[in-house]
Amino acid sequence: MAMRPGTEQKLLDAAEELFFTRGIAATPIDAVLERAGISSATLYRGYASKDSLVAAALGRRHDDWLATWDRAVDRAADDRGRLLAVFDALDAYRSTPSGSRWCAFLGTAAEYVDAPADVRGVLDLETGTLRERLAAVAEPLVGAERAPALADQLLLVVSGYLAMRLRDPGLGTDTARTIAAALI
């Protein structure tokens, strides 16, 4: 029997809230079940392990992040604005309850020395998507040959900004945006 969508939503909400604010290793699965108000039998109807639940929560977060980024790109007036829209998206995502602390993907990567395949797959998907999208919006500005290198530089700037938010939770994207604009 599959998990009902409403139950799965509650479970993923609880997992995301606890795993990505308290830490995955620091959050026992019982805490997630209690927060979601479901039994372990219900959990295991949908997910084979805690790691598969982590992967599902990351997958949902990835989809939410991409939708936020798409909206920022759609609002941009020109090619330069589309490239720098990643920072508008970071600002917008940060204002959501699930995006308030820092990057769940960086946090998850830091917690797993050797991530299980399902978690590693979502982490790789997120990194690859960032790289591909940044290259795609960079291409009209710098050409197809230079776009992948610029995408890697921007990925480093974005990741550095997200990591710095742990040191300074009030840090805005202004410095990261300035560095990115200078790379173009």
Side-chain angles (χ1 to χ4, degrees), residues 15 21 36 60 64 66 86-87 102 115 135 152 167 182:
T21 58
R60 186 177 77 162
D64 291 346
L66 292 182
V86 68
F87 299 104
W102 82 302
D152 283 343
R167 295 175 183 233

Side-chain angles (χ1 to χ4, degrees), residues 32-184:
V32 176
L33 296 174
E34 183 179 327
R35 178 69 52 97
I38 66 168
S39 69
S40 59
T42 301
L43 164 71
Y44 292 114
R45 273 200 301 261
Y47 300 98
S49 66
K50 180 179 178 180
D51 292 330
S52 64
L53 180 60
V54 169
L58 285 171
R60 186 177 77 162
R61 183 172 272 237
H62 182 253
D63 293 343
D64 291 346
W65 159 244
L66 292 182
T68 301
W69 192 1
D70 286 343
R71 287 188 297 274
V73 168
D74 289 345
R75 286 190 304 271
D78 57 18
D79 290 337
R80 187 174 192 278
R82 282 184 277 286
L83 180 64
L84 297 176
V86 68
F87 299 104
D88 298 329
L90 287 167
D91 289 338
Y93 197 77
R94 181 182 188 168
S95 70
T96 67
S98 63
S100 61
R101 186 160 182 258
W102 82 302
C103 180
F105 297 94
L106 291 176
T108 301
E111 283 206 52
Y112 287 95
V113 174
D114 186 22
D118 49 355
V119 173
R120 176 86 271 147
V122 179
L123 294 174
D124 291 346
L125 172 68
E126 190 266 346
T127 301
T129 302
L130 274 170
R131 184 174 280 123
E132 290 167 15
R133 283 176 164 233
L134 288 168
V137 293
E139 189 171 332
L141 292 167
V142 299
E145 188 173 305
R146 186 165 169 246
L150 179 57
D152 283 343
Q153 292 168 340
L154 293 171
L155 183 58
L156 185 60
V157 171
V158 167
S159 296
Y161 159 73
L162 290 167
M164 283 302 297
R165 281 186 43 203
L166 285 176
R167 295 175 183 233
D168 181 0
L171 183 71
T173 58
D174 294 343
T175 299
R177 189 184 303 265
T178 300
I179 292 167
L183 294 172
I184 301 171

